[in-house]
Amino acid sequence: MTNPDIVVYPPGEEPIRRTLAGQSLTMGRSPECSLQIHDRFLSRKHIEFREDGERWVLLDCGSANGTWLNGVPVKSPVPLRAGDSIRIGETEILFGVTRTDRLLAVEATSQKTTNSVRLRDALAEGQASQAAFERVQAVNKLAMELLEDRPLGELFDFILDRVVEMLQPSRAALALFGRGRGGFDTIKVRRKDEDDVSDLVLSRTLLNEVVEEKKIVSILDVGLNEKLSQAKSIVGQRIRSALCAPLLVEDTVLGVIYVDFLMGQRDAGEDDVRLVGQISRLAAMKLDTTRLREESLLKQRIDEELRTAYVVQSRILPAEAPEVSGYRLAGLNRPASMVSGDYYDFVVRPDGRVYFVIADVSGKGITAALLMSSLAMAFNIYASQDPEPSELVAKLNGILAPRLGPAKFVTLFAGLIDPATPGEIRFANAGHLPPLVFSASGVVEAGDTDIVMGVFSNSAYRDQSLRLGPGDSLVLFTDGVAEAENATGDLLGSEGIAKALRGRHFSGADEIVAAVDMAVSSFLSGAEQHDDVTILAITRERKS
């Protein structure tokens, strides 16, 4: 495999196919790369494909957010095999592929149509001919076959097989849109010629007409249309005629059915337009009910797993704060959904010293909760080794960074209370919101922040310290507190938290936590809680 192909899927752009030739190809955000990719999570020069004898190897060029080959981080040059999947930022690259049946590519060039008809009109026309009678028979048979329930993946194959059987096209595709309608989420392709490796390309203009106007669009007998026969997208694929129909349920287009006939094959006719319309109507209804059924079953399973995850996670977070001579400690975690990506904890050492931590894993839901669980385990292990806060954070970062995916990170504040030095708190801050020190003179932010965890394995962190006087409190919180957003789009901010603390000097840590939590709830005033809320407070007693 001396000159393999790669197919690149940049975020929000059309796929790029490139043959690897020469000795290397570089890829990144810089225009100086062999292939420039517009992906905000890429480094200027992110990766390199390099020829090594009879094989090609992949190198990460010291990127900030890493490179993944088949889900495994790339740390050194690795040889590539046909079908390998490479992930950089939000971009996916397939290596050594001959064709991309999993994607119906949509090019930006215009492609004129020779005929279009609304789906309901196509279904109402042409009921008298022999071809119409045969079509009705075939459609009735399909309707009976679709009464049987099949898993969605099997149903996809079944419908596409029937499309090929009934229309005998050169190529056929069945595609469903994703939730955001930004592209196809599921697609299957059939080719009459198994040696055909050309990409299946559908123009954006044609697709928009199908989706927005709910029409069956046909390109009939390209050879008779001089302008159409010169269209690059038509000539490049050797298309003689093609049909594209919407999968319509009520007023929603779920996806499309596409068939074409290449040069040398038969032409699509008016009866084919009506037949595709009938198939698309039946297929849309069955696909919709099957998907809804499977989504309902999946939701039930996910809800059950979430309930289990909630129980497990509630055991990871401290049931109550420890007792520490001269201090009062308290914490609270209120997830935005059933599980949380926020974390706080305490570890008491035999000599009475206490490590504490508050952290926020980027993202929400199960993925963030799983990362939080790993962080909790690592914190308890490393805190038992009595490190300085900076060492503790560096060790946590070293274990997490290689395991976090692209664009994932953790903000974390770790501190140490030593009853032998009353009022002093030593800490390190990995990109977390600055804590507030609440004293009789007011509320101020404490310390500086260093780089977030998860970006570089060898990041260094600084030891810092602050001092609490009798009755003073240290208040820590996650984004869900500071960035609580009310119905008008305003944020609570540090000022809102400080306002909630007024008149509460000498209050206990539990009262401080309750006051901040109440401030968040009052500020939201019924608006949805979009992020996890986690609060941790440490109050120095009047007499210590």
Side-chain angles (χ1 to χ4, degrees):
M1 184 171 57
T2 54
N3 295 108
D5 281 354
I6 58 171
V7 181
V8 184
Y9 301 94
E13 297 183 13
E14 307 304 333
I16 303 167
R17 181 180 288 273
R18 182 69 63 89
T19 299
L20 295 178
Q23 295 184 333
S24 74
L25 179 143
T26 56
M27 196 179 300
R29 287 189 298 108
S30 172
E32 297 176 1
C33 290
S34 310
L35 186 56
Q36 183 184 16
I37 304 296
H38 301 289
D39 183 333
R40 61 196 176 107
F41 293 110
L42 299 193
S43 297
R44 290 182 59 79
K45 182 180 177 182
H46 200 105
I47 58 171
E48 179 181 358
F49 293 92
R50 184 179 297 172
E51 191 174 20
D52 182 16
E54 293 298 315
R55 65 182 185 178
W56 284 81
V57 296
L58 173 68
L59 299 87
D60 180 275
C61 302
S63 66
N65 289 322
T67 299
W68 276 258
L69 175 63
N70 301 322
V72 178
V74 174
K75 299 301 180 183
S76 57
V78 291
L80 294 168
R81 297 178 297 179
D84 278 344
S85 173
I86 301 158
R87 172 70 66 173
I88 52 175
E90 295 182 332
T91 299
E92 184 181 7
I93 306 159
L94 297 182
F95 175 83
V97 296
T98 55
R99 66 187 186 194
T100 54
D101 281 359
R102 69 190 184 97
L103 177 73
L104 183 62
V106 181
E107 65 172 15
T109 56
S110 176
Q111 179 171 296
K112 293 184 179 180
T113 62
T114 59
N115 186 30
S116 65
V117 56
R118 291 192 179 277
L119 181 59
R120 64 172 180 267
D121 296 332
L123 299 178
E125 293 173 356
Q127 302 297 322
S129 67
Q130 177 63 29
F133 175 77
E134 294 174 355
R135 184 177 72 248
V136 169
Q137 294 293 99
V139 169
N140 286 342
K141 179 184 176 184
L142 176 62
M144 294 298 294
E145 291 174 326
L146 286 174
L147 291 175
E148 180 183 345
D149 284 333
R150 298 173 175 84
L152 190 59
E154 185 180 322
L155 178 62
F156 240 69
D157 287 325
F158 174 80
I159 292 172
L160 198 51
D161 287 342
R162 291 299 175 271
V163 169
V164 171
E165 178 185 312
M166 296 165 76
L167 288 156
Q168 297 293 309
S170 300
R171 304 181 301 181
L174 178 64
L176 293 184
F177 288 113
R179 286 288 183 190
R181 294 282 297 277
F184 294 119
D185 180 54
T186 311
I187 179 157
K188 290 287 181 71
V189 177
R190 294 283 190 276
R191 288 175 167 83
K192 185 175 183 180
D193 181 0
E194 287 298 322
D195 295 325
D196 177 15
V197 297
S198 61
D199 289 327
L200 191 61
V201 180
L202 180 63
S203 81
R204 193 178 301 279
T205 303
L206 186 150
L207 183 65
N208 286 343
E209 189 171 357
V210 172
V211 174
E212 300 302 327
E213 300 184 34
K214 283 80 174 178
K215 288 182 176 180
I216 302 173
V217 174
S218 57
I219 305 167
L220 304 177
D221 199 353
V222 170
L224 298 179
N225 188 311
E226 182 178 350
K227 288 185 179 180
L228 199 59
S229 65
Q230 300 301 314
K232 181 180 178 181
S233 57
I234 295 291
V235 174
Q237 298 181 89
R238 302 183 296 111
I239 293 174
R240 181 174 181 83
S241 55
L243 300 170
C244 189
L247 293 166
L248 185 64
V249 174
E250 295 181 350
D251 200 41
T252 301
V253 177
L254 306 180
V256 298
I257 291 178
Y258 172 86
V259 296
D260 64 25
F261 303 86
L262 302 184
M263 298 299 181
Q265 306 293 324
R266 76 176 182 88
D267 291 332
E270 295 296 335
D271 282 328
D272 294 309
V273 174
R274 298 186 184 97
L275 181 55
V276 167
Q278 293 280 8
I279 296 172
S280 66
R281 181 189 63 171
L282 294 173
M285 291 188 293
K286 189 63 178 182
L287 286 166
D288 188 47
T289 56
T290 301
R291 183 159 69 171
L292 289 174
R293 184 188 71 235
E294 293 194 359
E295 286 178 353
S296 176
L297 292 173
L298 178 61
K299 184 178 184 302
Q300 290 177 25
R301 289 197 296 270
I302 290 175
D303 287 345
E304 182 60 35
E305 291 173 0
L306 283 172
R307 283 190 287 271
T308 302
Y310 173 78
V311 172
V312 172
Q313 189 174 56
S314 63
R315 293 171 181 167
I316 292 173
L317 297 171
E320 58 184 16
E323 293 186 4
V324 182
S325 176
Y327 296 90
R328 289 289 180 266
L329 283 62
L332 173 146
N333 171 255
R334 184 154 47 81
S337 55
M338 193 168 288
V339 291
S340 172
D342 284 3
Y343 170 60
Y344 78 95
D345 207 351
F346 309 96
V347 171
V348 181
R349 301 300 297 137
D351 60 3
R353 296 188 306 156
V354 178
Y355 288 93
F356 64 92
V357 66
I358 187 169
D360 187 351
V361 178
S362 63
K364 302 180 184 69
I366 286 290
T367 302
L370 288 172
L371 290 173
M372 185 275 270
S373 300
S374 300
L375 177 62
M377 183 181 299
F379 172 72
N380 278 268
I381 291 172
Y382 289 132
S384 67
Q385 299 172 6
D386 296 317
E388 287 299 310
S390 61
E391 296 176 68
L392 174 58
V393 176
K395 288 181 176 181
L396 293 173
N397 177 69
I399 197 74
L400 284 176
R403 293 166 172 79
L404 293 181
K408 282 289 183 183
F409 60 89
V410 177
T411 68
L412 178 143
F413 183 104
L416 176 60
I417 303 170
D418 186 351
T421 55
E424 182 185 35
I425 295 180
R426 303 202 298 277
F427 65 91
N429 188 337
H432 200 76
L433 293 169
L436 301 179
V437 173
F438 175 37
S439 66
S441 59
V443 179
V444 295
E445 292 184 347
D448 299 315
T449 61
D450 293 323
I451 189 170
V452 298
M453 293 168 49
V455 178
F456 303 106
S457 296
N458 59 350
S459 296
Y461 299 89
R462 293 170 291 173
D463 278 313
Q464 304 178 63
S465 65
L466 58 86
R467 180 166 294 278
L468 298 180
D472 292 352
S473 297
L474 177 66
V475 186
L476 303 106
F477 42 86
T478 56
D479 287 347
V481 177
E483 297 178 7
E485 183 177 342
N486 64 16
T488 60
D490 298 320
L491 301 182
L492 178 63
S494 295
E495 299 81 4
I497 300 170
K499 182 179 179 181
L501 298 177
R502 288 176 188 168
R504 297 184 182 275
H505 190 240
F506 291 117
S507 295
D510 53 349
E511 297 175 59
I512 296 293
V513 168
V516 175
D517 186 39
M518 180 61 71
V520 173
S521 298
S522 299
F523 185 78
L524 290 174
S525 188
E528 184 182 356
Q529 177 187 328
H530 294 290
D531 204 353
D532 305 323
V533 168
T534 303
I535 309 162
L536 190 153
I538 299 169
T539 300
R540 185 181 175 192
E541 294 181 330
R542 298 192 191 193
K543 295 180 180 180
S544 58

